[in-house]
Every structure is written in C-alpha cells, then in structure tokens.
Amino acid sequence: MSFNQINLNDILNIDYPLAVSILLSYFIFIFALLWTIKDDLKKAIVKMNLGVFVFLILAVISFIATWTYMIKFFIISYREWSLTVDQPSSLSFLNSISFWLHDVSLFDSAWRKVSVGVWPWLWSHQLCSLTVSVWTPLLAIEGTRRNIPYIWAYMLLGQVVAISVASALFFAVISSAVIKNEHEPSGKLLKTLIVSTVGGLITVVFSPFVASTKAFMPNLLVMHILLVFPLIYSSSHQQGNSSRDISSLISIMLLYTIAAGANFVIYINQWFECLDTLPSSGIMDLLYNIYHHVVGTFFSHPAQSSISYDIVCMQFISVTWMWIYSRNNFKESMPIWVFTLIIMTALVSASVTLPLFLVGCEYKKLQTLLKQKSS
C-alpha cells in the first residue's frame, strides 16, 4: 500500500497513534526551531556578504548529505522490522507504520549503530567531542558577544537535524552580526561552560564502554543535557560583563585549550584502538586496510553514513570559518598558523583544530587589549 492509498478511515484506525504522533511532533519541532531563529536568518540575508552566502550554501549541502541517509535509515529500519513480524493482510500502510514506530526505538537504534565498534566510533566520536567541548562554548560565547537570542535553538536544531546544518546557519548569522563590547560572557557563564565541557567529555569517553549496555541511553541523555544547559543559562544572562577584560579572555582561551587537548587525546587513542584490530603487515597493506575500514565503515549503514557525513561537513564548515574570520579580522594575509590548522584539519579533525584556532583568535584579542591598557 502506498501513501496515495491512505484515507481518513486509515487515520482513524491506527493502533498506536501515540507512536505516530511522536514522529510527527519531531518534524513539527524542527519547524518550530527554524521559526525561532527566522529573525536571525532574515537579518543575515539582508546583510548578505561572502560569509553569509557560503555558510547558507554549506547548510543546504549538509542537510542533503545527512538527511539523504537519514531517510534511508528510516526505510531500512521499516523493511527490517516488516521482515521480522507477521502483518495481517488487512493492516493498512499507516497502521503498519504505527506498529513499526511502536516496536522500534529509532533514536536508540541509530546511536548504538554508530557507537558500537572501534571503527564506527572513530567517525562518531569526532562529532560528539566537537559538539560538547567546542560548539557549545562557541554558541554561548559568540552568541553573547553579538546579543543573539535563543542560541539554545541552534543546539536543539543540531540535535534533531544535524550539527553541521545548525553550525552553518549559526556561522551565517554571526558572519553578519556586529560584536558588541558591552556583551562579554560573564564569569558565571564561563565557569558553567567549563563544567559542562568537562562533563560532556567524560560522557564521550564513557560512550564506547557502555554502548552495548543499558547505561548507554542514560549516558547519552546526560551528554545532551550538558549541551543545552549552558546555552539556556547564557540566553537568560546575556548582559554578561560590561566590557572585555583580561580574565575573561584567559578563561576562554583555557576553555578552548582544554577542549583541543582532550579531543586530541581521545582522537589519537581511538586511532590506536582501530589500528590494534588490523593484522601485522607491510606499510602498503596497512594503508590499504586503513582505507578499506575507514571508507567501508562510512558506508556500512545509513545511520553511520549520516553521522559520518555530518562530521565531514563540519570539517569543511570549520575550515571555512577559519578562512572567513581570518579574511575579515587579520589585516595581513592569512597567518601561517591559521593555514597550518586548516591543512591539519583533515588529519586530526576539526574537534582539535577549531578550538586551537579559537585560542589563537582570543590571544590576538588579548594582545590588543593589553596594548590598549598600556598606552
């Protein structure tokens, strides 16, 4: 039975209306979040510049890349479920959807698929690390500086659509928004971000150990709460400090340095875990085996492909932000350290290079502030 054959009687005779309602509410929630940030996007489009244009294009590309496989995941999940149950011939298509949604936990299934096994986690942990330790602070700090309301909406949008899509939209917004010196992150907000960052990184470390246990979902829940909490706090305390000060800049640098260091250790450790699964061989065979596992894992399952494309898109978006920011804020040509970080992103992940870039930007602001105070 197809969608064209669904009639009013089918809708009224659904055995599990709550399951269908939850899925529908998921998409309604997405539109509600887009509606929440629509004014930010309108302002960005009105002030259209190179950065806004590029990031809006990247948002579209990221959405297509991630949701092509998310839809495939829904289809495959439904087909796999239908092969394991005996469906009455009289069961309507819509009602079979309700049975499927009732029997299958899509969220749990998708996350376990990308978390169980060292090679899947090699891809997936990068997105988790980047989100908990870099993107949450970036949203709170840059959102406060530009007095952007509802910054929590970007995080929630990232969780229900894709982190890369929401990140591209946020970068488009801040590419056109003016930094207001009277809106600096407060000391309480920075302390909150440090706690949430450390706590979030702990959940990332725990994830592969609990991925096959009942503790997986509680761990994932804690991770997601830590992502949103400081952003809600930031939105309600956006007055921040009255002016930029040395201690706040140093605290921000410390925060991003912790993120870069922790993410590098997690990333390298995960590579060692993966390499340990490969047989001893010559260098060429080793490189082939690495390529085979990395690419094979990428396309091993639609859920894995979706999150893998999410991190790949985040790599491009992070590199683009380094380029756009440097182009607009560094008077000289792109500094060699920025160029190095852009090149290194492909090797060590944006979860490492983006926070290092942000440390460099904050250091430059600190130098400027120190010169102003000494003059």
Side-chain angles (χ1 to χ4, degrees):
M1 183 174 285
S2 66
F3 287 103
N4 295 329
Q5 294 174 285
I6 296 175
N7 53 46
L8 181 59
N9 189 55
D10 293 332
I11 297 175
L12 295 176
N13 291 282
I14 297 176
D15 284 86
Y16 298 103
L18 179 60
V20 176
S21 298
I22 291 174
L23 181 62
L24 290 176
S25 65
Y26 180 87
F27 293 102
I28 293 172
F29 184 54
I30 292 174
F31 284 109
L33 291 172
L34 289 172
W35 182 264
T36 302
I37 64 173
K38 72 180 190 309
D39 290 337
D40 295 344
L41 297 175
K42 285 181 179 178
K43 291 177 183 178
I45 292 172
V46 168
K47 298 179 181 180
M48 181 67 70
N49 55 39
L50 179 61
V52 174
F53 177 76
V54 171
F55 284 117
L56 289 179
I57 294 297
L58 287 173
V60 173
I61 293 173
S62 298
F63 178 77
I64 294 173
T66 55
W67 270 81
T68 295
Y69 287 93
M70 186 56 66
I71 292 172
K72 287 184 178 180
F73 166 64
F74 291 155
I75 294 173
I76 286 181
S77 176
Y78 175 77
R79 287 177 177 173
E80 290 177 345
W81 168 84
S82 64
L83 292 174
T84 61
V85 297
D86 294 325
Q87 299 184 58
S89 57
S90 60
L91 194 67
S92 70
F93 175 75
L94 189 57
N95 203 13
S96 70
I97 292 293
S98 79
F99 273 87
W100 163 58
L101 294 173
H102 175 266
D103 294 342
V104 177
S105 175
L106 293 174
F107 185 80
D108 183 277
S109 174
W111 270 103
R112 287 187 191 274
K113 183 65 68 173
V114 303
S115 301
V116 176
V118 293
W119 288 98
W121 189 239
L122 176 66
W123 281 107
S124 308
H125 90 276
Q126 297 178 54
L127 190 66
C128 295
S129 298
L130 178 63
T131 305
V132 302
S133 66
V134 185
W135 198 47
T136 297
L138 191 150
L139 280 172
I141 293 168
E142 300 306 327
T144 299
R145 284 173 169 169
R146 293 165 176 80
N147 197 28
I148 298 174
Y150 314 122
I151 54 174
W152 47 265
Y154 292 93
M155 176 59 75
L156 291 177
L157 189 65
Q159 293 182 17
V160 296
V161 178
I163 294 297
S164 55
V165 174
S167 296
L169 292 178
F170 183 72
F171 280 130
V173 169
I174 65 176
S175 292
S176 64
V178 178
I179 294 180
K180 300 180 180 180
N181 289 331
E182 69 273 14
H183 287 90
E184 280 293 308
S186 66
K188 289 184 178 179
L189 173 57
L190 293 176
K191 291 176 182 177
T192 302
L193 287 171
I194 291 176
V195 172
S196 68
T197 296
V198 174
L201 286 169
I202 291 174
T203 64
V204 173
V205 173
F206 279 170
S207 289
F209 297 102
V210 299
S212 300
T213 71
K214 292 181 179 179
F216 178 66
M217 291 308 294
N219 182 70
L220 200 60
L221 178 62
V222 171
M223 182 191 299
H224 283 74
I225 290 175
L226 290 173
L227 292 175
V228 178
F229 173 73
L231 302 180
I232 295 176
Y233 176 88
S234 176
S235 293
S236 60
H237 296 77
Q238 278 209 343
Q239 68 274 14
N241 294 331
S242 58
S243 62
R244 181 171 295 170
D245 59 68
I246 295 175
S247 62
S248 66
L249 290 175
I250 293 177
S251 296
I252 294 171
M253 289 171 61
L254 175 63
L255 178 61
Y256 287 134
T257 301
I258 292 172
N263 291 343
F264 180 73
V265 171
I266 294 172
Y267 182 75
I268 294 300
N269 178 73
Q270 192 59 34
W271 262 113
F272 278 123
E273 293 279 347
C274 291
L275 294 176
D276 194 47
T277 65
L278 300 179
S280 301
S281 58
I283 184 64
M284 295 307 297
D285 288 337
L286 177 63
L287 293 176
Y288 172 78
N289 284 328
I290 291 175
Y291 172 82
H292 173 74
H293 280 83
V294 168
V295 176
T297 301
F298 193 108
F299 295 105
S300 61
H301 188 275
Q304 183 66 58
S305 297
S306 181
I307 196 171
S308 297
Y309 266 117
D310 206 5
I311 187 60
V312 168
C313 290
M314 274 304 301
Q315 313 279 42
F316 283 105
I317 290 167
S318 299
V319 164
T320 303
W321 176 246
M322 295 181 203
W323 170 61
I324 292 292
Y325 185 92
S326 300
R327 183 176 179 273
N328 295 334
N329 292 275
F330 297 136
K331 295 181 180 179
E332 67 276 8
S333 58
M334 181 184 293
I336 186 64
W337 63 270
V338 176
F339 181 76
T340 301
L341 288 175
I342 289 176
I343 297 300
M344 291 295 292
T345 298
L347 298 176
V348 296
S349 173
S351 64
V352 176
T353 58
L354 181 58
L356 288 177
F357 171 77
L358 296 172
V359 169
C361 295
E362 297 300 321
Y363 178 70
K364 187 173 180 62
K365 293 172 186 174
L366 178 61
Q367 285 183 314
T368 302
L369 183 60
L370 290 173
K371 287 180 181 179
Q372 292 175 349
K373 289 184 176 293
S374 61
S375 60

